[in-house]
Amino acid sequence: LITGLGRKTKIVPLDTPDGNIAFTLRTLKAFEQNCLSQVVENAKRIEFSPGSYGFTPTSLYDIKLEALSHSLFLVDGQSVDVILGTVNFEYEEQVSAKRDLLSEMDSALINHLFSQYEVLSQEVHDGYAPKNAIEAEEVVDAIRKSGEDS
């Protein structure tokens, strides 16, 4: 229960020729974020202009797949691990199976899901960030006081 504290979800509905489908994404735990950060850190970059860099298309695609492999957990309300038959697998195997599933999907869908993942991540970040100078000062005071107590 405690490891899920602060974890938010976002349902991404899609209209398809075969009907409606909904993917549910969730924010990442620290361990999952670290896995994603390693992929970002190792990604190949290109220089657009002096001082302006971006990821190569292949690296950007890998980053999207990695983020979604950790974030995607329900399809039409069903656990992805149940759908893939990976419920009793090690976490790395579950992520790999999700990555394989995602890599078979249309690139436009991957881009859409990733943009919704980014929206969810920003919403959570904004929700925890101090909203004004008074809240920021309260955070600083709380940190200062907790340091005095130890």
Side-chain angles (χ1 to χ4, degrees), residues 39-89:
V39 170
V40 171
E41 186 176 297
N42 294 324
K44 293 182 182 176
R45 292 169 172 78
I46 52 176
E47 186 172 13
F48 296 120
S49 61
S52 174
Y53 296 90
F55 295 108
T56 64
T58 303
S59 290
L60 185 57
Y61 183 73
D62 289 342
I63 291 167
K64 290 176 182 181
L65 285 182
E66 185 71 20
L68 292 173
S69 296
H70 292 284
S71 180
L72 178 64
F73 79 109
L74 298 176
V75 176
D76 280 343
Q78 297 293 316
S79 166
V80 175
D81 291 319
V82 170
I83 293 168
L84 295 174
T86 58
V87 171
N88 295 318
F89 288 26

Side-chain angles (χ1 to χ4, degrees), residues 23-144:
F23 293 89
T24 303
L25 306 175
R26 63 183 171 191
T27 55
L28 304 185
K29 294 179 184 180
F31 168 77
E32 296 163 333
Q33 184 62 49
N34 186 49
C35 293
L36 175 58
S37 295
Q38 289 175 22
V39 170
V40 171
E41 186 176 297
N42 294 324
K44 293 182 182 176
R45 292 169 172 78
I46 52 176
E47 186 172 13
F48 296 120
S49 61
S52 174
Y53 296 90
F55 295 108
T56 64
T58 303
S59 290
L60 185 57
Y61 183 73
D62 289 342
I63 291 167
K64 290 176 182 181
L65 285 182
E66 185 71 20
L68 292 173
S69 296
H70 292 284
S71 180
L72 178 64
F73 79 109
L74 298 176
V75 176
D76 280 343
Q78 297 293 316
S79 166
V80 175
D81 291 319
V82 170
I83 293 168
L84 295 174
T86 58
V87 171
N88 295 318
F89 288 26
E90 294 292 324
Y91 182 74
E92 292 81 13
E93 294 173 293
Q94 291 174 333
V95 170
S96 179
K98 286 188 230 178
R99 191 179 300 113
D100 290 345
L101 172 69
L102 289 161
S103 68
E104 294 296 322
M105 294 181 181
D106 186 82
S107 63
L109 175 58
I110 298 300
N111 290 334
H112 178 67
L113 289 173
F114 185 75
S115 72
Q116 293 302 303
Y117 164 79
E118 289 182 304
V119 167
L120 173 62
S121 296
Q122 189 62 49
E123 288 171 358
V124 170
H125 176 270
D126 293 347
Y128 288 116
K131 294 172 185 42
N132 54 46
I134 294 169
E135 284 187 12
E137 185 60 35
E138 289 172 358
V139 169
V140 169
D141 285 342
I143 292 171
R144 188 177 306 125

